């Protein structure tokens, strides 16, 4: 990956709908070269394009992180459960006191409580409700790795 690829990745993280023409202009390359590079990046590094939705505007005003101490024997059933729960935005297997952490959104604390009650069939939970967002999901700036 060279500086031009890094520039294209950074531009796409700012606005995934940037046109090929604009990508080419801002990366100082031709449009066909930008198309070739973008195609290569889509095959190797980019895993799709996703709109960032304002969930609060849709009424999902409760964002929380729920940790779960999951027994390894419960994983297959838990994976099916969490995959079928659209309010779970992310679920990661982690190290430490808990084995799973989920980022969830709900319209009310009652809905969140109902989710946690169902989740507790798989193990012990702890929940942190988000008060405010200090740094929004902003992607990662791809820096030159040559120092």
């Amino acid at each position: 990956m060279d500086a031009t690829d890094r520039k294209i990745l950074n531009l796409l993280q700012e606005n995934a709908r940037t046109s090929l023409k604009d990508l080419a202009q801002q990366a100082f390359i031709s449009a066909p070269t930008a198309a070739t590079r973008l195609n290569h990046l889509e095959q190797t590094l980019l895993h799709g394009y996703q709109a960032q939705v304002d969930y609060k505007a849709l009424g999902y005003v409760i964002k929380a992180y729920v940790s779960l101490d999951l027994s390894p024997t419960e994983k297959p059933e838990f994976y099916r459960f969490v995959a079928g729960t659209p309010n779970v935005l992310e679920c990661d297997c982690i190290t430490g006191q808990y084995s799973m952490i989920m980022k969830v959104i709900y319209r009310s604390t009652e809905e969140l409580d109902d989710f946690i009650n169902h989740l507790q069939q798989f193990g012990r939970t702890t929940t942190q409700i988000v008060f405010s967002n200090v740094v929004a999901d902003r992607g990662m700036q791809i820096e030159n790795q040559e120092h």
Side-chain angles (χ1 to χ4, degrees):
M1 178 182 335
D2 63 11
T4 301
D5 288 336
R6 287 189 291 276
K7 177 73 172 175
I8 291 170
L9 287 172
N10 288 332
L11 290 167
L12 289 173
Q13 287 186 98
E14 289 174 23
N15 180 4
R17 295 185 67 176
T18 302
S19 70
L20 270 177
K21 178 183 172 188
D22 288 342
L23 281 177
Q25 285 177 340
Q26 293 182 53
F28 305 107
I29 57 177
S30 69
T33 300
T36 300
R37 284 177 176 262
L38 180 58
N39 185 47
H40 179 261
L41 291 170
E42 287 173 340
Q43 292 178 10
T44 58
L45 292 174
L46 295 173
H47 300 286
Y49 297 90
Q50 187 174 24
Q52 292 183 343
V53 175
D54 182 353
Y55 296 107
K56 287 184 178 182
L58 294 174
Y60 293 89
V61 295
I62 305 296
K63 178 167 77 171
Y65 291 90
V66 181
S67 300
L68 171 67
D69 185 12
L70 178 67
S71 166
T73 59
E74 297 284 340
K75 280 185 177 182
E77 189 176 341
F78 168 75
Y79 288 165
R80 282 190 297 279
F81 170 77
V82 77
T85 306
N87 298 72
V88 177
L89 301 181
E90 293 181 34
C91 180
D92 295 311
C93 185
I94 60 171
T95 63
Q97 186 176 7
Y98 293 89
S99 53
M100 296 288 168
I101 188 165
M102 292 158 273
K103 180 167 86 171
V104 301
I105 55 168
Y106 282 94
R107 293 178 187 268
S108 67
T109 54
E110 291 82 8
E111 288 181 0
L112 174 61
D113 186 45
D114 187 51
F115 167 72
I116 291 167
N117 287 336
H118 283 88
L119 191 61
Q120 288 175 336
Q121 69 181 311
F122 300 106
R124 183 174 52 96
T125 64
T126 187
T127 303
Q128 294 84 38
I129 294 177
V130 175
F131 287 142
S132 63
N133 183 255
V134 178
V135 177
D137 185 10
R138 60 180 172 191
M140 181 182 96
Q141 286 296 306
I142 311 299
E143 300 292 333
N144 187 352
Q145 297 172 358
E146 301 169 23
H147 295 292

